[in-house]
Amino acid sequence: MNNRTLIGQDPCTDACIMQCQTNLAVIQGAAYHQHHFQHLMDAMMEEEEKLLASHRNYLRVIDQMSFEVLGPLVAQAALRYKLVYQDIFYEIFHACPIFMTAEIAHQRQQRAYESSRWWRVTHPNLSDLAKGRKRFKSYYHIMKSAFELLVNKLKSDPEYIGSQMKGGIPVEIQVAMVLWRFANSHFGFCLVCALLDIPDGSLNNCTDRFIKAMERMGQTEITWPTNDLRRTQEMAHQFKTKGGAGHRRLDKVIGAMDGKLVIIQKPAKRGNMVVDRKNSASFNLLAVCDASTRFTFIKCGDSGRVNDARAFTTSALYTNLVNIPDQVCMDGTYIIADSAFPVMCTVVPSFPRSSANRRQKIFNKMHSSSRIVVEHSFGALVSRWRTLWKHLYMINIERMIRTIIACCVLHNICLGINDIEDPATQSDATVRLYEAFVDNGPYDVDPEGQGIEVSLEPLPLISEASSSPPVPEAPQLTTDRISIPEITRLENEL
């Protein structure tokens, strides 16, 4: 197929030839009635013959050009000059007529968000240096620099690439909508339509797209220092020196572990399977954080009926701590937790307060002064993303779990560029506001109250009787994999 066929060249629809034939017919009609215009007709015919000859020369040049070279030239010409003549775009590029068959061009209807005052006036003028309602963080609970970093990362995500190819809402508006929803708790759909000019269907689609992208980003933002001695020693040094030289801290600590109950919307059918001991429908969020309140491991998906010890022993972290403790906790380091967790060589819980003696109480005080960072992490998490504060109002179970994970990933992204909450949110008084959502005992182990489980792939156990035991490869610990078919099945049962 030659270039003439590719660009739709057809003598029957050649606009230039049609124009020449029309001019000749007009001249012939005028000369028929007025013979003194014969010399004018001859001159015009000569000029039209030159134009047709030039047109044929242009077509020969086009035939000699590759389509890879011709295509960008045609596109550039179409963007620069357009003259719609019925179903033909009459393109002009360097005085060269190029003919392309196409449909009649229609003007695109303006979308709602393009005329909204919020996206045209208010949102572009928000900044990090302003105060009050001119401050970017007052609306989205994130600095504008962190927002721009997040948008630049998501532009290369497959979810948003497909959306932009289809001419969807710009990425920055999609991200801002979801951050607004997470940061302002139950911001109703009616208010979203009134203020942001975004329909509820678009908001839900943007939310699903965002939380799926955050789950993929969490594989690099929430990581455990497996086989990384330098990072392990740095984390232990941060715990040791936290608070200054005047504060006594435990040595060799690389993480503080605890669980948190995230209150959710109770399912209409068989909702008692997710009701916790406080008579609220909830999910258990198990997390480990470092001294800077940055999450290094999270697990979400267990029912609120499952206590912290059960959630921990069914996690990938526990599996690796049992099989390869020297690779997960290097240089004799360990994780600290409350008395509900089991005692292991790599997990050091506090002594029960009811039976602790004087020396054990002193140890508990030092232990608690280091372990409080995980409470600060939960406090900063729900203070920044208010949708997790008192009630996560969603119906789909998979979306609930991914939303919680997305908020944890956003928490780490903000800390990565030193975007922290106000100092008031880090105080002990503020942390006590969230004690109702922190699962810290006493515990009644319910063997049947497993709720929604996360499927795990257990690592191969090392046989003690084997003469040459194989060394299992240590996987990089990130968020536990969510078994989507299993959750879908349980959701249908609900």
Side-chain angles (χ1 to χ4, degrees):
M1 183 180 294
N2 57 19
N3 291 327
R4 292 190 183 186
T5 306
L6 290 175
I7 65 176
Q9 197 274 340
D10 187 357
C12 297
T13 59
D14 193 330
C16 183
I17 296 178
M18 291 171 60
Q19 184 180 4
C20 294
Q21 293 175 350
T22 303
N23 293 338
L24 292 176
V26 172
I27 294 174
Q28 289 175 359
Y32 179 78
H33 295 285
Q34 297 181 4
H35 298 284
H36 62 277
F37 286 138
Q38 183 65 38
H39 65 282
L40 180 61
M41 183 182 65
D42 295 339
M44 292 294 297
M45 290 181 64
E46 184 180 357
E47 184 178 354
E48 297 297 342
E49 288 294 337
K50 292 181 180 179
L51 178 60
L52 292 175
S54 177
H55 175 62
R56 287 191 291 268
N57 292 333
Y58 289 149
L59 292 180
R60 283 195 296 270
V61 173
I62 290 175
D63 284 336
Q64 297 175 2
M65 297 174 62
S66 64
F67 189 71
E68 289 76 10
V69 177
L70 184 62
L73 297 178
V74 173
Q76 188 176 4
L79 293 176
R80 288 188 176 182
Y81 308 102
K82 287 186 179 181
L83 177 62
V84 179
Y85 176 73
Q86 293 182 354
D87 62 340
I88 302 174
F89 282 107
Y90 184 75
E91 314 290 350
I92 301 176
F93 182 74
H94 288 180
C96 175
I98 301 175
F99 306 97
M100 300 175 61
T101 59
E103 297 180 356
I104 300 176
H106 297 281
Q107 185 177 6
R108 184 177 66 86
Q109 186 178 3
Q110 189 178 30
R111 300 189 179 184
Y113 66 85
E114 295 176 346
S115 60
S116 174
R117 175 180 174 83
W118 178 264
W119 303 117
R120 290 187 297 104
V121 179
T122 307
H123 178 80
N125 293 326
L126 300 176
S127 65
D128 294 333
L129 302 178
K131 295 182 179 180
R133 287 303 173 184
K134 294 295 184 180
R135 190 183 181 194
F136 190 90
K137 196 172 183 179
S138 64
Y139 291 100
Y140 300 104
H141 290 190
I142 188 174
M143 294 176 61
K144 193 171 184 178
S145 56
F147 172 78
E148 294 173 352
L149 174 65
L150 184 61
V151 170
N152 291 331
K153 287 185 177 181
L154 292 179
K155 283 183 177 179
S156 59
D157 190 88
E159 293 287 339
Y160 289 92
I161 292 177
S163 172
Q164 297 306 299
M165 291 179 62
K166 297 177 182 178
I169 302 175
V171 178
E172 56 272 13
I173 295 182
Q174 295 190 46
V175 176
M177 285 191 305
V178 181
L179 293 180
W180 186 299
R181 182 177 185 178
F182 288 176
N184 295 282
S185 188
H186 306 302
F187 192 69
F189 290 138
C190 293
L191 294 178
V192 171
C193 294
L195 180 61
L196 306 182
D197 278 338
I198 299 297
D200 52 354
S202 298
L203 180 60
N204 283 329
N205 293 337
C206 293
T207 302
D208 291 338
R209 188 176 297 114
F210 182 82
I211 59 181
K212 290 178 182 178
M214 284 294 101
E215 187 178 7
R216 283 190 290 269
M217 193 177 295
Q219 299 176 11
T220 57
E221 292 293 337
I222 303 178
T223 58
W224 188 268
T226 305
N227 287 329
D228 192 346
L229 180 60
R230 179 178 179 181
R231 184 183 171 192
T232 301
Q233 293 176 347
E234 290 178 355
M235 295 169 64
H237 179 72
Q238 290 177 0
F239 270 100
K240 178 68 175 178
T241 59
K242 186 175 179 62
H247 295 77
R248 299 178 62 185
R249 295 286 187 268
L250 297 177
D251 195 15
K252 299 292 185 178
V253 178
I254 63 168
M257 179 169 55
D258 205 350
K260 169 180 169 50
L261 297 179
V262 180
I263 309 301
I264 64 172
Q265 176 68 20
K266 184 177 179 180
K269 296 181 179 180
R270 300 179 62 185
N272 291 332
M273 67 181 299
V274 295
V275 174
D276 55 27
R277 57 186 175 81
K278 299 175 183 178
N279 201 27
S280 300
S282 62
F283 279 139
N284 190 310
L285 172 61
L286 180 71
V288 181
C289 72
D290 58 13
S292 61
T293 69
R294 181 184 177 90
F295 292 117
T296 55
F297 176 83
I298 61 172
K299 178 195 175 187
C300 184
D302 292 316
S303 168
R305 299 179 64 182
V306 179
N307 55 52
D308 292 347
R310 174 67 178 174
F312 170 62
T313 54
T314 57
S315 66
L317 177 61
Y318 177 82
T319 304
N320 286 274
L321 288 176
V322 171
N323 296 331
I324 45 175
D326 295 336
Q327 300 179 34
V328 179
C329 294
M330 305 181 68
D331 196 23
T333 56
Y334 55 89
I335 305 170
I336 57 177
D338 58 29
S339 57
F341 289 87
V343 180
M344 301 172 59
C345 62
T346 53
V347 178
V348 179
S350 59
F351 290 98
R353 287 176 293 181
S354 58
S355 60
N357 55 31
R358 182 175 177 276
R359 293 176 58 86
Q360 293 174 350
K361 290 181 179 179
I362 296 175
F363 173 81
N364 282 353
K365 185 175 181 180
M366 296 176 57
H367 188 280
S368 178
S369 63
S370 298
R371 187 171 56 88
I372 194 65
V373 294
V374 68
E375 307 291 353
H376 290 169
S377 298
F378 289 145
L381 177 69
V382 300
S383 178
R384 186 189 297 269
W385 311 119
R386 301 294 176 85
T387 189
L388 305 181
W389 191 354
K390 291 187 177 181
H391 193 134
L392 178 58
Y393 187 78
M394 291 182 178
I395 305 300
N396 187 277
I397 295 179
E398 178 186 342
R399 181 188 286 183
M400 293 180 188
I401 297 174
R402 283 176 167 168
T403 298
I404 298 172
I405 295 176
C407 292
C408 295
V409 176
L410 287 172
H411 173 82
N412 277 16
I413 293 176
C414 294
L415 293 180
I417 62 172
N418 200 26
D419 179 9
I420 61 176
E421 282 291 271
D422 296 332
T425 60
Q426 303 293 339
S427 63
D428 294 342
T430 305
V431 172
R432 283 194 293 270
L433 293 176
Y434 310 108
E435 288 183 353
F437 309 103
V438 178
D439 194 6
N440 55 3
Y443 302 91
D444 296 325
V445 178
D446 183 4
E448 298 180 356
Q450 299 180 5
I452 303 172
E453 295 292 336
V454 177
S455 62
L456 299 175
E457 296 181 0
L459 299 179
L461 298 176
I462 300 177
S463 175
E464 296 179 357
S466 177
S467 59
S468 58
V471 179
E473 183 180 356
Q476 186 179 14
L477 296 183
T478 58
T479 57
D480 281 347
R481 290 290 172 219
I482 302 173
S483 178
I484 303 302
E486 180 69 13
I487 291 178
T488 305
R489 182 185 64 81
L490 293 172
E491 182 181 2
N492 294 332
E493 292 181 359
L494 293 177

